């Protein structure tokens, strides 16, 4: 089970990576049920990315898949085309959302938003590695 101390460690690692690449980010951690456990908005991170980061975290947990991979498989003619319109439009298909795992079991999700897709993914991977 994901604890608040885990979420804080994940956020600290993600923040360090975001600072390293010079891009302020919004960082969201959800628990196993997809509920917001912790959130941090770095100084000067885009306001419009707050909701996106939370939705990326939720999406990665709801489907137990990286949002980058979900996006790659939701293009026209692909198996998940149109999935972004499900769940009241809450599903995010941009890079930067990753499932959080402990002992091979998904225990939550991490969502990062505020930079390019590549930057968001890099920061998400750094944060998840802290778990």
């Amino acid at each position: 089970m994901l604890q608040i101390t885990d979420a804080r460690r994940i956020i600290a690692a993600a923040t360090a990576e975001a600072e390293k690449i010079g891009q302020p980010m919004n960082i969201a951690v959800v628990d196993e049920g997809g509920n917001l456990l912790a959130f941090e908005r770095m100084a000067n991170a885009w306001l419009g990315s707050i909701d996106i980061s939370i939705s990326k975290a939720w999406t990665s947990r709801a489907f137990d898949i990286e949002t980058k991979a979900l996006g790659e498989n939701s293009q026209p003619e692909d198996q998940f085309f149109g999935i972004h319109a499900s769940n009241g439009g809450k599903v995010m298909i941009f890079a930067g959302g990753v499932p959080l795992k402990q002992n091979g079991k998904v225990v939550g999700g991490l969502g990062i938003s505020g930079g390019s897709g590549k930057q968001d993914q890099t920061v998400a991977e750094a944060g998840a590695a802290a778990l």
Side-chain angles (χ1 to χ4, degrees):
M1 185 164 140
L2 197 61
Q3 303 292 322
I4 190 67
T5 53
D6 298 319
R8 289 179 180 141
R9 188 170 64 253
I10 291 163
I11 287 173
T15 299
E17 185 66 22
E19 288 172 346
K20 179 180 165 187
I21 65 172
Q23 183 62 49
M25 299 286 188
N26 291 289
I27 305 163
V29 177
V30 299
D31 64 16
E32 187 173 15
N35 303 298
L36 186 63
L37 180 60
F39 174 83
E40 181 174 309
R41 177 178 173 259
M42 295 175 65
N44 300 314
W46 294 332
L47 293 175
S49 289
I50 292 171
D51 181 66
I52 294 170
S53 67
I54 295 169
S55 293
K56 284 181 183 183
W58 180 85
T59 301
S60 66
R61 173 55 193 109
F63 297 99
D64 296 343
I65 187 173
E66 290 188 0
T67 55
K68 177 183 176 192
L70 189 60
E72 290 167 352
N73 286 287
S74 63
Q75 301 306 305
E77 306 298 322
D78 284 328
Q79 61 181 339
F80 298 128
F81 180 68
I83 197 168
H84 64 283
S86 71
N87 292 278
K90 190 175 182 178
V91 176
M92 283 290 137
I93 57 172
F94 311 133
V98 297
L100 295 171
K101 297 180 181 180
Q102 285 180 324
N103 302 318
K105 180 180 186 271
V106 177
V107 295
L110 172 62
I112 307 293
S113 188
S116 68
K118 184 177 180 180
Q119 290 171 322
D120 291 356
Q121 186 69 26
T122 297
V123 173
E125 289 171 1
L131 184 59

